[in-house]
Amino acid sequence: MNKKITIAIDGYSSTGKSTIAKQLANKLGYVYVDSGAMYRAITLFSMNNGYISKCKFDIPSLIENLGNAFLKFIYNPKLGFSEMYLNDVNVENEIRKLEVSNLVSKIAEIPEVRKKLVGIQKEMGKNKGVVMDGRDIGTVVFRDAELKIFMTSSPETRAKRRYDEFVEKGEQVRYKDVYDNVLDRDRVDISRKHSPLIKAVDAIEINNSDLTKEQQFQIILNLVEEKLRNV
Ligand code: CDP
């Protein structure tokens, strides 16, 4: 039972990938990596440096200065997961804001950005014992992952969950804006040229529209245990 596997969780925006990934990592003693946080941190870096805004996108400057964006995850024992740091500043709260969500999929289309982040992600998972969530984990980052999960749920369920998260954090957002963002990001993520969001042929699809967090956890934990028995 000491064998460690790699668990890749992909899926549409706000499908609860990070919730299940954190639960699994805590249960198994694995490292959890939120690959979306890295794309969000590069988006924040681009916003802070004026490379991207609602009406402007200076891709050459972003690419030229990408080497100045230093990303690091630091485990927060109080929260039970790692927080994202950009150039030694904790940006965990800032990268979750709707302003960042509205621009992140544009940043994630740039091949140079993907190359940099996929390199870091592969390095983080090289010893296995990792649960990583994102869009291209089972198809690009860890093609040989022992367990691949593809999460789906209805757009309304996803937007409602994300809206509730914002409200819980005390942030003023409109449901309609959150709903539009969820659909818009899915559209860009599935249609981009490089590493689009698609279900890996060997991924197991879980639609969690009608599942509680506990039910979902139990279903996926059973899949993990079955894999662990067979490695
Ligand atoms: O949590 P949520 O599902 O809303 O998104 P996220 O995982 O934080 O990812 C934010 C965005 O980063 C996605 O909409 C994608 O555009 C991009 N992303 C990606 O392209 N590849 C990944 N492996 C992870 C995220």
Side-chain angles (χ1 to χ4, degrees), residues 56-210:
K56 171 186 164 189
F57 196 6
D58 180 356
I59 298 178
S61 295
L62 164 58
I63 294 172
E64 198 187 317
N65 292 291
L66 205 48
N68 298 327
F70 177 61
L71 305 184
K72 195 163 58 180
F73 283 107
I74 298 184
Y75 187 74
N76 180 332
K78 277 193 201 138
L79 296 174
F81 62 87
S82 296
E83 295 179 293
M84 185 84 252
Y85 283 70
L86 167 64
N87 294 334
D88 292 322
V89 176
N90 183 332
V91 292
E92 189 59 35
N93 285 333
E94 235 178 315
I95 58 170
R96 309 288 165 192
K97 298 209 161 138
L98 199 52
E99 291 79 2
V100 174
S101 300
N102 283 334
L103 298 172
V104 62
S105 289
K106 280 191 186 174
I107 294 286
E109 282 187 289
I110 302 173
E112 288 80 357
V113 170
R114 302 206 71 83
K115 189 165 177 246
K116 172 180 167 113
L117 299 191
V118 168
I120 302 172
Q121 290 154 9
K122 284 190 170 170
E123 185 63 27
M124 293 178 92
K126 70 173 188 229
N127 296 327
K128 297 199 175 276
V130 67
V131 188
M132 192 175 290
D133 77 321
R135 302 294 186 285
D136 59 344
I137 311 305
T139 51
V140 175
V141 183
F142 300 130
R143 272 195 215 129
D144 58 353
E146 287 82 357
L147 182 63
K148 298 181 185 178
I149 304 285
F150 191 85
M151 310 275 288
T152 65
S153 53
S154 73
E156 290 73 22
T157 309
R158 298 191 276 126
K160 174 76 172 57
R161 286 182 191 148
R162 190 48 57 94
Y163 176 76
D164 290 345
E165 277 171 21
F166 279 122
V167 171
E168 206 170 299
K169 285 189 203 159
E171 286 190 36
Q172 305 276 325
V173 292
R174 293 189 314 167
Y175 172 77
K176 170 85 172 66
D177 292 339
V178 176
Y179 181 79
D180 288 349
N181 173 257
V182 160
L183 290 192
D184 204 45
R185 272 196 294 137
D186 286 351
R187 186 182 50 75
V188 180
D189 291 345
I190 60 178
S191 59
R192 70 177 171 229
K193 192 164 160 226
H194 299 277
S195 313
L197 166 65
I198 54 165
K199 183 181 152 198
V201 281
D202 48 350
I204 299 166
E205 184 165 333
I206 307 272
N207 183 325
N208 64 15
S209 302
D210 298 317

